[in-house]
Amino acid sequence: MIVTTKELFQQAYGKYALGAYNINNLEQTMGLFKGNVDSKAPFIVQLSKGARSYTHKRMLETMMQTADEIFPEAVFAVHLDHGDEAACMDCIDSGVYSSVMIDASQEELEKNIEITKRVVDAAHAKGLVVEAELGLLKGIEEDIKSEGHVFTKPSEAEYFVKQTGIDSLACAIGTSHGAFKFAGEQKLRFDILEDIQKLLPGFPLVMHGSSSVPPEEVARINAAGGTINGASGVDASQFLGAAKLGVTKINIDTDGRLVWCRVHREFFRDHPEQFDLRGPGKIFIPEYAKFIAAKNVLLGSAGQLDEVRAALKK
Ligand code: G3H
Ligand code: 13P
Ligand code: ZN
């Protein structure tokens, strides 16, 4: 059942966070749905602009509708991750997405508001909801590049939310995309979340760049021929603390890519004579499902499905 992120956030606020998982292909789709159904978790599927152009945007949209039929128990939102205005408008018209992210965070405040407001008006008119971003994550997010963290300013966040009418806000608190998040110890600015929550009580916040980059996963990849050095991620024991401060959506992409990479490297290392894609694919799907189910336990979303269904009366 495809629902909006807003409906999921209303149930989760202050208690747990929804996993927002980026996927690109069929094997990830199967593992994602299986893992969430197995762990009885509502969830968010994130489709990036890059994912939409990897094969074809229609292929992804159709996969979402078909997954909905194959897994009737699943309760999920279909969300555009880091969209520009054109991508948002396209998803709003698709009839499949229930939520879009407009990322105009590279623009100065008033311009960000202007663009975001146009997307909000179009989305709300069709029953979709909107996430937007204020502040910049260090590194690369789709087409946006930033040399350093530009932390979200709480007073600007309040102004931005009121001016735009958005449904959730992505905040920059020290996380970043990819597998190399911290040079030394991890430093997350939970004080920023706390201040935003005081100004916007009950308003759903989003944490991007929240993969944990497990050292054991990286070690297995490297033992099978990888050369990923100096990788580090977000300590997952922080997720529930973030949830208490209003974070209802936690974005995870890199960790899923690491599972894919580990399975495929180990498979072809151990079976150098093989060339059938279904060999590693058959291992990857349940491994990815297991990864999703374990992540949902850390997010607190595991086991929430029946309550969410009852609250949605669906
Ligand atoms: O924020 C970026 C997400 O991890 C999506 O990555 O643009 O390579 O699909 P991508
Ligand atoms: P990671 O790179 O930490 O998985 O973050 C993904 C993300 O924020 C997608 O929008
Ligand atoms: Zn992101």
Side-chain angles (χ1 to χ4, degrees):
M1 176 177 31
I2 300 176
V3 298
T4 64
T5 47
K6 186 174 182 167
E7 290 167 287
L8 298 177
F9 295 160
Q10 278 162 355
Q11 304 306 314
Y13 190 90
K15 294 182 283 187
Y16 62 91
L18 279 305
Y21 299 104
N22 289 73
I23 54 110
N24 289 265
N25 69 11
L26 178 62
E27 288 80 0
Q28 284 179 307
T29 304
M30 290 304 288
L32 176 69
F33 278 75
K34 184 173 168 7
N36 284 298
V37 167
D38 286 352
S39 59
K40 286 186 147 287
F43 64 104
I44 298 163
V45 189
Q46 303 214 111
L47 306 171
S48 70
K49 278 199 303 165
R52 281 161 52 80
S53 59
Y54 168 54
T55 52
H56 196 287
K57 62 186 182 183
R58 292 280 300 117
M59 186 63 82
L60 284 181
E61 289 164 12
T62 307
M63 283 200 309
M64 292 304 103
Q65 289 169 316
T66 305
D68 194 20
E69 285 171 27
I70 298 172
F71 297 92
E73 319 90 302
V75 175
F76 62 103
V78 181
H79 174 79
L80 169 68
D81 189 30
H82 293 287
D84 54 20
E85 191 172 351
C88 286
M89 296 306 182
D90 192 56
C91 292
I92 289 166
D93 288 339
S94 72
V96 177
Y97 288 77
S98 57
S99 173
V100 293
M101 176 190 189
I102 171 69
D103 186 354
S105 58
Q106 79 285 10
E107 304 287 351
E108 53 93 17
L109 183 62
E110 292 303 326
K111 183 85 180 162
N112 188 351
I113 290 173
E114 192 188 306
I115 297 167
T116 300
K117 182 90 182 63
R118 280 200 294 270
V119 171
V120 168
D121 289 344
H124 286 180
K126 290 211 167 166
L128 282 80
V129 295
V130 179
E131 172 186 330
E133 180 167 332
L134 209 51
L136 287 170
L137 273 65
K138 187 177 166 189
I140 299 171
E141 0 177 20
E142 286 275 349
D143 307 327
I144 303 171
K145 203 172 170 185
S146 175
E147 294 302 325
H149 298 293
V150 180
F151 296 114
T152 307
K153 294 185 187 72
S155 58
E156 265 186 21
E158 185 190 20
Y159 176 70
F160 184 75
V161 167
K162 293 197 169 143
Q163 292 297 311
T164 55
I166 53 167
D167 304 281
S168 59
L169 178 70
C171 305
I173 61 158
T175 62
S176 57
H177 294 105
F180 307 93
K181 299 189 193 298
F182 307 102
E185 209 184 313
Q186 87 162 38
K187 284 190 198 79
L188 296 185
R189 294 283 309 274
F190 274 33
D191 59 305
I192 295 176
L193 296 177
E194 220 172 311
D195 290 346
I196 296 175
Q197 193 183 39
K198 276 184 201 136
L199 294 170
L200 295 165
F203 189 79
L205 306 178
V206 178
M207 255 170 73
H208 281 246
S210 297
S211 277
S212 296
V213 194
E216 59 281 11
E217 195 75 317
V218 173
R220 284 177 71 173
I221 290 170
N222 288 345
T227 54
I228 302 174
N229 299 313
S232 74
V234 173
D235 180 353
S237 68
Q238 306 252 16
F239 289 167
L240 290 177
K244 283 203 181 69
L245 297 175
V247 171
T248 49
K249 173 173 177 276
I250 293 195
N251 288 10
I252 316 267
D253 183 356
T254 298
D255 283 351
R257 296 180 187 206
L258 292 173
V259 175
W260 185 93
C261 182
R262 181 252 299 166
V263 166
H264 288 77
R265 277 199 177 279
E266 288 184 346
F267 182 85
F268 287 111
R269 176 196 63 189
D270 298 342
H271 306 281
E273 75 293 353
Q274 297 256 1
F275 52 88
D276 185 350
L277 62 95
R278 288 178 300 201
K282 279 182 193 163
I283 300 172
F284 172 74
I285 294 170
E287 278 297 291
Y288 190 59
K290 205 167 84 185
F291 152 76
I292 295 285
K295 194 67 92 176
N296 290 338
V297 172
L298 297 163
L299 292 162
S301 62
Q304 303 286 348
L305 196 56
D306 292 342
E307 213 171 296
V308 166
R309 264 189 183 279
L312 295 174
K313 295 194 177 53
K314 286 173 181 169

